[in-house]
Amino acid sequence: MSTDTLRAIAAFGLRTRHVLDPTAADVTDVTSLVSSAEQHGVLGQLAAAVRAGTIGVLGDERRLLEEHLRASLTRDLRAERLLVESVRALDRARIESRVTGPSSLGRTAYHDPSYRSIDRIDLLVRPDDLDRAERAVQSVAGDDSTVPVHVCCTVLDGKTANSVPVGELFAPPYRYPVGMWELEGLPMPTRLLDACARAGGSEPPAQLVTLRDVAQLVRTEQPNAVDVLMTASSWGCEDAVANALIRTWDELALVDQPPLVEWARRHRDRAAGGGAS
Amino acid sequence: VNPRLPLRRRPDALWRRSLDAIVILPPNEHDTIIAAGVAAEIWELLTEWRTADALVTLFADAAAASAAPGASTGASPSREEIDAVLAGFDEHGLLDHAPS
């Protein structure tokens, strides 16, 4: 499976310079295509390309794709139910929480949650509540191994995590519906910084879907660039945010260059030149 | 299912779209069910309260509207098909019934 084909699938539906060639050998090998798309969390984007007729998949191969999609969506649905039950358990224990990461993105960054698989559940709580929160979540998750449930007190990794004021993470939440429930996620720009940390944390990115998340958030939420830069600066994560934005735009070959991406490139150039950012 | 009693899909039933179908997780069950074809269309329509009678009319009107000029009306699901889909949803606890 060529990297360009996978990137083209990850960027499907966005304005991109990548071209999905339906006659390319790695596109016509549907078994491998499905497996690679699944590995990178972009099975939903592959389905969108098939649905749009950009890639022709017929007969047994279409059945294979449908089978994988149904299995993947079933896992997502069970994970989403576990998420709701976990949040309700925290509510009953009077523990304030925020849903972060992949388990919130399908509903907050994509127009249809079918396009974003849930490979883990992340719940943010205050440090003083951590022990009680873990017990509350364990009481509903039990031995359910649908997806791992992480209860944590910050959103970034490494030493940057310590520079994030907890109070800012618990600013008025972004509320969104899941079925008949309303969950509380991170508002902007925190949600974007969280997504950038997940997209820029490893080289190469563990999953292309983490890049798609960043692109989706920038496109759909159109975050205020000044808010993003001020928060990134105060949290000391400007480099990570700039790297994630540049990587997203370069790897997905996105055509539009929003002000945030222009800032990211200037920030990188200044850092490479040894100047202050 | 009473044909004159309004129904809607339960708001606590989580669901997703696959390529050719809708995957639904019934509220009190571990396994998902698959709604394809007419069943998927009915699931989408039941975002609002509708009676079985109203669904039959809706499908018939849609078939008539999509038929080629001069041709007889296009295919629409039969009353029995619609009833069977609704009964299947109801069996899995996926429907809210309006109070009669």
Side-chain angles (χ1 to χ4, degrees):
Chain A
M1 174 61 46
S2 89
T3 311
D4 276 352
T5 295
L6 266 179
R7 288 172 178 163
I9 290 168
F12 186 79
L14 302 173
R15 274 166 48 85
T16 174
R17 288 185 299 279
H18 284 307
V19 177
L20 252 181
D21 176 3
T23 61
D26 57 354
V27 174
T28 54
D29 179 359
V30 173
T31 305
S32 164
L33 188 65
V34 167
S35 165
S36 299
E38 205 161 28
Q39 196 182 332
H40 278 273
V42 292
L43 203 53
Q45 281 70 33
L46 173 59
V50 171
R51 202 178 285 124
T54 306
I55 302 176
V57 178
L58 301 168
D60 286 347
E61 292 177 332
R62 191 178 177 100
R63 275 189 287 279
L64 173 87
L65 172 58
E66 178 68 14
E67 200 175 285
H68 279 257
L69 270 171
R70 288 181 185 183
S72 169
L73 295 172
T74 295
R75 281 193 298 275
D76 291 346
L77 287 165
R78 289 179 182 148
E80 196 162 60
R81 179 153 74 188
L82 179 58
L83 168 68
V84 169
E85 287 171 354
S86 299
V87 171
R88 293 175 75 198
L90 292 173
D91 289 346
R92 283 194 299 274
R94 298 180 186 281
I95 298 171
E96 192 179 9
S97 67
R98 298 285 186 270
V99 185
T100 71
S103 49
S104 74
L105 289 170
R107 299 272 183 181
T108 65
Y110 293 77
H111 72 280
D112 181 336
S114 311
Y115 290 114
R116 193 7 168 146
S117 60
I118 302 175
D119 49 6
R120 53 183 283 159
I121 291 172
D122 293 281
L123 292 164
L124 178 78
V125 299
R126 295 177 191 274
D128 289 348
D129 292 329
L130 185 59
D131 290 343
R132 282 198 313 127
E134 283 177 340
R135 284 197 298 276
V137 168
Q138 181 61 27
S139 74
V140 294
D143 297 327
D144 189 331
S145 56
T146 306
V147 288
V149 184
H150 298 275
V151 182
C152 58
C153 303
T154 191
V155 292
L156 305 180
D157 292 328
K159 62 180 181 187
T160 331
N162 299 324
S163 63
V164 181
V166 173
E168 288 187 25
L169 295 176
F170 283 90
Y174 179 89
R175 294 194 170 88
Y176 64 97
V178 175
M180 63 184 282
W181 303 277
E182 187 178 74
L183 300 189
E184 296 186 337
L186 297 171
M188 284 304 229
T190 318
R191 193 152 26 109
L192 176 63
L193 301 190
D194 180 33
C196 284
R198 293 168 198 272
S202 60
E203 187 66 53
Q207 286 189 305
L208 285 170
V209 73
T210 60
L211 303 182
R212 177 69 189 234
D213 291 340
V214 172
Q216 283 291 134
L217 281 170
V218 172
R219 189 176 79 143
T220 59
E221 295 282 301
Q222 300 185 345
N224 180 299
V226 174
D227 286 348
V228 174
L229 302 192
M230 285 180 69
T231 308
S233 171
S234 80
W235 292 5
C237 60
E238 289 162 295
D239 291 349
V241 171
N243 285 342
L245 288 166
I246 293 168
R247 177 187 274 182
T248 297
W249 256 254
D250 288 353
E251 292 205 19
L252 301 186
L254 300 177
V255 175
D256 301 321
Q257 299 288 316
L260 265 178
V261 177
E262 289 172 2
W263 161 80
R265 296 193 193 285
R266 285 196 305 273
H267 177 84
R268 181 188 58 183
D269 293 346
R270 277 196 298 265
S277 57
Chain B
V1 174
N2 182 336
R4 289 180 195 83
L5 194 64
L7 307 163
R8 68 170 184 185
R9 64 184 190 223
R10 271 179 60 167
D12 55 346
L14 300 172
W15 58 280
R16 297 280 197 274
R17 272 187 200 86
S18 71
L19 196 55
D20 298 321
I22 285 176
V23 184
I24 309 166
L25 183 61
N28 298 309
E29 296 180 17
H30 179 71
D31 292 325
T32 49
I33 65 163
I34 303 298
V38 173
E41 291 179 51
I42 291 177
W43 182 256
E44 300 265 17
L45 289 168
L46 287 179
T47 185
E48 294 174 26
W49 291 102
R50 294 180 198 275
T51 63
D53 285 346
L55 288 170
V56 171
T57 306
L58 207 58
F59 278 110
D61 288 350
S66 62
S72 59
T73 59
S76 70
S78 67
R79 174 78 210 214
E80 289 71 26
E81 281 178 274
I82 291 172
D83 284 347
V85 168
L86 293 175
F89 286 158
D90 208 31
E91 191 181 320
H92 288 281
L94 290 168
L95 299 180
D96 271 344
H97 297 247
S100 50

